[in-house]
Amino acid sequence: MASIFTRIMRGEIPCYKVAENERAFAFLDIRPLMPGHTLVVPKAEVDNLYDLEDADYQAVFELVREVAAAQKQEIPCTRVGLSVLGFEVPHAHVHVVPLRSEADLNFANPKLQLDAEEMQSIADRLHAAIGV
C-alpha cells in the first residue's frame, strides 16, 4: 500500500504544494510548528532517508535548499532548521522549518492551526519565491 506521502504526490490526497523536481516533492505540513513548515519527500518510496539512491538523495537536498531560501525570503525568521525523524510516516522526509529560536524546532510544542486561506497564501508565496 502506498504511503500517505505517495498518495499526496499522486493527487489522491490534497496538499499545499510548494515545489517539486524530477525526484522530490515539497508541501506544507498541515500540523506546522511554524508558518511555512514544509516537508520535502523523495518520490521514491523509501523509509530511511539514508537508504535513498544518490540521485534521489541529492534531489531531496536540492529541493530542501530551494525551500529554505524561499522561507528565509518570505517568512519572518532568523534561521531555517532541518529535521529528519520518520516516526509517523514510513516514507523518508525532511522537515524544513523557519525558526526564530532553537525552541521553535521542538516537536513537543503545540502545532499551529492555520486556516486554508493562510496555508494556500504561504504555499503560493514559497512557490513564487522558488520560481518553479
Side-chain angles (χ1 to χ4, degrees):
M1 185 168 147
S3 78
I4 189 168
F5 293 159
T6 297
R7 294 180 63 214
I8 287 170
M9 288 183 280
R10 289 179 184 162
E12 297 169 13
I13 297 173
C15 73
Y16 298 97
K17 180 180 171 183
V18 171
E20 74 177 300
N21 61 32
E22 185 179 308
R23 296 174 176 266
F25 193 91
F27 56 97
L28 294 182
D29 191 316
I30 60 169
R31 297 183 60 231
L33 293 172
M34 298 293 290
H37 179 169
T38 301
L39 299 176
V40 178
V41 303
K43 291 182 178 178
E45 199 169 284
V46 172
D47 185 18
N48 188 328
L49 183 72
Y50 306 107
D51 290 336
L52 286 169
E53 293 184 18
D54 289 347
D56 291 321
Y57 185 87
Q58 290 168 358
V60 165
F61 278 96
E62 286 171 15
L63 195 51
V64 164
R65 181 185 306 170
E66 291 173 1
V67 167
Q71 288 173 337
K72 192 79 165 123
Q73 177 181 321
E74 295 297 322
I75 308 292
C77 63
T78 308
R79 295 221 179 256
V80 174
L82 306 179
S83 183
V84 177
L85 301 170
F87 291 107
E88 292 182 358
V89 179
H91 187 138
H93 56 286
V94 179
H95 294 264
V96 187
V97 186
L99 304 172
R100 292 174 302 209
S101 75
E102 192 173 310
D104 293 336
L105 195 57
N106 182 346
F107 284 84
N109 289 344
K111 307 308 182 276
L112 301 179
Q113 299 280 329
L114 305 177
D115 65 35
E117 187 176 306
E118 186 173 3
M119 293 286 282
Q120 190 62 59
S121 174
I122 292 168
D124 291 345
R125 289 181 8 236
L126 294 175
H127 180 81
I130 292 170
V132 292

